[in-house]
Each structure stands twice: as structure tokens, then as C-alpha cells.
Amino acid sequence: MKKYLLALDQGTTSSRAILFSKEGQVMGMAQREFTQIFPQSGWVEHDAMEIWQSQLAVIAEVQAKTGINAAEIAAAGITNQRETTIIWNKTTGKPIYNAIVWQCRRTADYCEQLKNQGLTALIKEKTGLKIDAYFSATKIKWILDNVPNARQQANAGELLFGTVDTWLLWQLTKGAVFATDYTNAARTMLFNIHTLQWDLDICEKLDIPMNILPSVKPSSHIFGDIHADFLQDISNKTSKTNETSQPVKIAGIAGDQHAALFGQCCFQPGMIKNTYGTGCFTLLNTGTTAVYSKNDLLTTIAWGINNTVEYALEGSVFVAGAAVQWLRDNLQLIQTAEDSEKYATQVADSNGVYVVPAFVGLGAPYWDQYARGTITGISRGTTKNHIIRATLESIAYQSHDVIKAMAQDTNQNIQQIKVDGGACKNNFLMQFQADILDINIVRCKVTESTALGAVFLAGLAVGFYSSKEEILQKIEVDKTFTPQMDNEQRQVLLKGWENAVKRSLSED
């Protein structure tokens, strides 16, 4: 009976539910976008209840589309936008403030205070992270400090904190399970990635009560059961629940980038993937060794399976696919994201135009939270096609900077990169990425690597898959993009990009 796996893929702009066969093929998908809230410049929020309702709706929708009964689902996996911070009342289940999204920069000034207190080395050593508004810790403190009575409620044990995975897990189990996994905990700036515990010292320094923090489990682990009310019994139209069938276990949780690394089967040290989503995130598996970067990359937990924790180096580009959304929604230069490839290929090059989409600062390897977007090189001959092309190229340039830093940190000659995410379907972007990196870019047939990673982790936990080796057999390559640009042209383009970035940095 148990033939399928359910992925709950909760992203920055939409919630999705995907049903996979054991072979890793997509059987059905449902997706709903939700509201992006921008209260002030640099602030980004979501309505946590809307996140939950949209995720619940797509579970029902994908079951209805496919006709797949809950009794046929072996397990479910959750993967999620990371660092986004939700605090809710554990009695009412209602958030006390909107979710503060990973992109939000409202705590940038407080982060500078922490640096001035000399905490940079301590935070890096224990958490593998930089002090930055990107991570959950300062968002938690902001909510506790700014929402009336929040700190008193927290101290009284009335509030719970969670990243989005914890919020969904708590809702799906009707409050029975309050937990997260190693990968999400590792992105809070409160979790010691070596002891695998919440760090008392950091919590005290940031004045965050530890009683609001969830328990932390391996990424491949049976967390709990989806309550029967939230699944459809397709075979019995008169029944609103699947009470007669075995419950569906939530058995895999991983932050979206870690899930994508697992979904791409980057199981060996040195293997690398790049995900082109709202942001662009590159992870390199470093095995059981936590490698610290000399180039301002992050050290993070890749995943935890059984009793083994593996680590990764990560470079985070804050704005990638979001730049294409900006072309569509703000500038109205394109009608759909797919149009960007059509217009970009109507010109031979960007005509000297560079777009640096530092809408919420610049991530790795610059880490300038006050940088802002720039367009340089505009002339009388500049057309919308040049700007569209330059925007796509900016995604590849930003990835180049991260991957170059990774190669230096690990002393590796990187031969290929596996890619996933919505923008990897853009053939122009993938070819330009191969050209500017001088590295092969490998795109798999199933590009839903984030969701795949979540269900692979879940499938391992319940014995649906016997091993990583079995999972490895499920991955098929769609296309490999090989470099076609000569080195002289590459260096000229990279020099132009370097100059454009300098103009966006805050110190300039």
C-alpha cells in the first residue's frame, strides 16, 4: 500500500505539496503563493497563519489532483525557508507578531552592537555563522523587545519560538510535537554545531530565554504523525479523515538548502550544489569535518542521519530569482519569469550594463548589510533587453564569487556543480554560469531537489529506502552545460562585475 512520499516544501514566496513515487518521480504538485509584507524599507514579513493555511490547502489539493490516499503515503518530509522567525502563544496557537523573514534587515544595527561587543569570534566558533541580521537570533530578540508583554510571556513559559519547520510540525501534529532538526537549528545563531545543543552562553548574551526553544532532532527522524484531520481519505468519499488508515509520519525535516544538497545526492565530501531560488545558495559537503572559511563563507550542518552529523560550507546570495520577480513586478519589463530568457537572448551581450541586485544588502563573500542595488554602464543605446540580460547575468556572477571562495577554502579544483531551483530551467542562465565559472553545470531531470531531499530523508527514517546508495540510483541527468567562453572574455566580464559591486558597497 505504501507507495508514495509527500513533500511539504514551504518556501519564501509560496507553499507547495509534492507527491513522489519511490523512483523519485513527481506524481502531482500543488502550489499557492502568499503575501509578501514590506512594512518599511529593508523589512520583510509573512503572516504565519497564512503560511500554515496555504500549506494545509496544498496538501488537500495535491491529494485531490492525484487521487492518492493517505494510506498509500509512506512518510512526509518538511523542507522550509530558513531563519524566518515565528513566535506564538502555546495555548492559543496564535503568533504574537508576523513572521520576520530571513531577508529582513531590521536588526542590522543591533548586529553591529554585537560585533562591537567582541562577539564575532565566539559566534563563529560555536555556530559557524557570522553575526548578521539574516539569522534568527536577533529577530527573536527584536520580537521579545518590541511586542508588548512578549518578554514577560516568554519568561513565564507561555511562548514558543520556531523556524517555519517547527511551526508547521506543531500545527500538523495539533501541538503534540515541538521540535526542529539540526539543519534549521544551525541557522538560528543560537545552536552549537559541535555539541549539538542550544548554547546557553549565546542565549544569555542576547537575552533569549531557552524555554522558548524547540527540542532538536536528526534530519532523518520520525518526529510525529500528521493529524488525521489534515489528510484526505480519497477512497472513502464520505469520510473526511483517514482514521481507518495508518497515520502518515513526518520523518524528515531539513532547511531548504540542506534538503537540496541531499536531494542532489551530494553525499561525498567535495560534492557541491547550487540552488537558484529567491536567493542563490551554494553548499559544499565537507563530510564529518566542520571546515571554517577564510573567505567569509558559513560553516553549517549539512544533515544528521542516525548518529552521524555531516557538515557543509555555504555561500548565500540573498537575491537571485527575486531579481527576476523585480523585473516582472516592479519594473514590469517582463510578464512572466520565463520571458527573461527570451529577451536576454535577443541581444548579443549586456552592452556593458551590470545589475547588482543588493536589495537587502549583499551576502557571501561580501557580507555588507548596508549595500544597495545598482545598475551601472547605462548608455543611450541601452535597451530593456540589456537590463534583463544583465539581471540574469548577475545571478551567475554572484554565484561565481561564492564558488571561487569555496575552491580557495577547500583547496579544491571544482570540476562540476549540480544545480536545481526554478531558475535552473533557464538555459541561457545555466550556459552563462558554466561560461563565467569555467566549470560544467549539471542539471537533473527532476529539478525539485529541495522537495526530493526532504522525502529521501523521510524515506530513510521509515525504511522506505534502505540506504543512500539506493537513493543514488534514482537521480538522472537532464543536461550538462559545458563552458564555451574564452578566458580573455571571461576576465573582462568579471572585472566589470567587480567594479559594479564596488559601487554598491556601503563604504563607497
Side-chain angles (χ1 to χ4, degrees):
M1 289 287 289
K2 303 286 189 180
K3 297 185 287 187
Y4 306 106
L5 294 163
L6 173 64
L8 308 181
D9 184 355
Q10 204 300 301
T12 307
T13 58
S14 70
S15 298
R16 302 193 305 162
I18 306 176
L19 279 163
F20 288 96
S21 69
K22 190 170 185 177
E23 296 307 308
Q25 299 303 308
V26 174
M27 305 305 295
M29 179 191 305
Q31 178 171 358
R32 290 200 182 184
E33 293 192 359
F34 53 86
T35 310
Q36 306 295 305
I37 304 167
F38 307 102
Q40 298 181 28
S41 177
W43 290 31
V44 190
E45 296 177 1
H46 293 153
D47 179 339
M49 291 305 296
E50 188 183 3
I51 288 176
W52 161 235
Q53 292 298 332
S54 64
Q55 191 67 68
L56 187 57
V58 292
I59 293 172
E61 187 179 335
V62 77
Q63 281 196 267
K65 276 183 176 179
T66 60
I68 291 174
N69 194 340
E72 299 175 278
I73 301 172
I78 296 173
T79 184
N80 56 286
Q81 53 167 316
R82 305 172 302 168
E83 298 95 19
T84 294
T85 297
I86 305 168
I87 297 181
W88 67 97
N89 184 294
K90 70 178 180 183
T91 303
T92 67
K94 296 295 170 56
I96 64 169
Y97 189 80
N98 277 340
I100 301 183
V101 180
W102 59 273
Q103 298 162 311
C104 188
R105 311 307 298 170
R106 77 184 64 193
T107 60
D109 290 344
Y110 177 61
C111 288
E112 293 304 316
Q113 293 177 32
L114 294 176
K115 292 175 188 176
N116 292 336
Q117 292 172 26
L119 295 179
T120 300
L122 174 77
I123 296 290
K124 181 175 181 179
E125 177 190 344
K126 290 188 171 189
T127 71
L129 308 177
K130 296 178 65 67
I131 295 174
D132 195 85
Y134 176 27
F135 306 110
S136 308
T138 59
K139 297 173 168 59
I140 298 171
K141 179 172 170 57
W142 189 94
I143 292 174
L144 295 180
D145 287 346
N146 288 275
V147 174
N149 300 317
R151 190 165 287 284
Q152 293 92 317
Q153 292 177 57
N155 291 334
E158 297 171 5
L159 300 182
L160 302 176
F161 152 76
T163 42
V164 172
D165 60 301
T166 301
W167 170 242
L168 292 179
L169 179 63
W170 192 85
Q171 292 285 0
L172 287 163
T173 61
K174 289 202 171 179
V177 183
F178 178 51
T180 187
D181 88 299
Y182 291 149
T183 69
N184 280 292
R187 309 299 296 189
T188 61
M189 214 173 81
L190 297 173
F191 189 72
N192 190 311
I193 62 173
H194 309 289
T195 65
L196 305 179
Q197 301 288 330
W198 297 114
D199 193 273
L200 176 62
D201 190 18
I202 298 174
C203 287
E204 287 181 343
K205 284 179 167 56
L206 272 67
D207 196 17
I208 293 173
M210 295 185 76
N211 66 344
I212 70 172
L213 304 176
S215 61
V216 188
K217 307 293 183 184
S219 314
S220 182
H221 173 83
I222 298 174
F223 289 85
D225 297 337
I226 298 179
H227 196 279
D229 287 353
F230 303 138
L231 290 164
Q232 303 300 309
D233 186 351
I234 305 297
S235 63
N236 183 354
K237 301 301 182 184
T238 63
S239 173
K240 294 183 179 179
T241 74
N242 67 325
E243 291 172 344
T244 58
S245 64
Q246 290 287 322
V248 173
K249 296 186 180 302
I250 301 167
I253 295 180
D256 50 11
Q257 305 313 318
H258 316 260
L261 189 70
F262 200 81
Q264 287 277 25
C265 295
C266 293
F267 299 150
Q268 300 301 318
M271 298 184 78
I272 185 171
K273 72 89 195 173
N274 197 13
T275 297
Y276 300 81
T278 301
C280 213
F281 299 89
T282 309
L283 268 71
L284 184 148
N285 185 331
T286 63
T288 55
T289 302
V291 174
Y292 281 84
S293 173
K294 297 176 182 175
N295 294 285
D296 278 341
L297 302 178
L298 304 176
T299 304
T300 194
I301 292 175
W303 48 70
I305 300 176
N306 298 325
N307 296 314
T308 302
V309 169
E310 295 180 58
Y311 296 89
L313 271 177
E314 175 174 336
S316 307
V317 171
F318 294 154
V319 174
V324 180
Q325 289 178 321
W326 169 72
L327 290 176
R328 182 191 67 192
D329 300 338
N330 297 65
L331 299 189
Q332 297 183 3
L333 296 182
I334 54 177
Q335 289 187 314
T336 68
E338 291 73 23
D339 287 343
S340 61
E341 180 173 6
K342 177 179 70 174
Y343 290 116
T345 54
Q346 287 181 7
V347 288
D349 53 42
S350 68
N351 197 30
V353 174
Y354 288 87
V355 173
V356 183
F359 304 149
V360 289
L362 283 173
Y366 305 101
W367 292 105
D368 185 342
Q369 52 194 0
Y370 299 107
R372 285 298 176 263
T374 60
I375 303 177
T376 66
I378 294 175
S379 67
R380 184 66 181 84
T382 300
T383 68
K384 83 169 190 176
N385 294 342
H386 294 122
I387 293 172
I388 293 167
R389 182 173 177 128
T391 301
L392 287 178
E393 290 179 351
S394 76
I395 299 171
Y397 285 128
Q398 290 178 99
S399 296
H400 165 272
D401 295 343
V402 168
I403 292 161
K404 179 181 176 184
M406 282 185 171
Q408 292 172 350
D409 279 334
T410 57
N411 294 315
Q412 276 189 232
N413 181 21
I414 297 169
Q415 299 294 322
Q416 72 170 28
I417 296 170
K418 294 185 175 183
V419 297
D420 57 81
C424 84
K425 298 171 186 174
N426 187 311
N427 289 322
F428 165 77
L429 174 58
M430 292 301 97
Q431 184 58 54
F432 190 79
Q433 186 71 85
D435 287 340
I436 212 68
L437 278 169
D438 197 22
I439 291 172
N440 286 345
I441 301 296
V442 179
R443 181 175 67 199
C444 294
K445 282 188 177 177
V446 177
T447 58
E448 300 293 348
S449 300
T450 302
L452 261 181
V455 297
F456 283 162
L457 288 165
L460 280 174
V462 299
F464 194 66
Y465 298 117
S466 61
S467 64
K468 290 181 185 176
E469 287 68 34
E470 181 184 355
I471 289 171
L472 193 58
Q473 305 307 312
K474 314 298 181 190
I475 302 301
E476 295 181 68
V477 172
D478 171 49
K479 185 172 182 178
T480 299
F481 297 85
T482 59
Q484 296 175 2
M485 183 181 290
D486 66 64
N487 191 53
E488 183 178 354
Q489 183 185 2
R490 182 180 303 113
Q491 295 309 318
V492 169
L493 292 175
L494 287 170
K495 184 65 176 176
W497 167 252
E498 182 183 330
N499 290 335
V501 169
K502 285 178 181 176
R503 298 188 182 196
S504 77
L505 297 175
S506 59
E507 56 262 34
D508 286 357

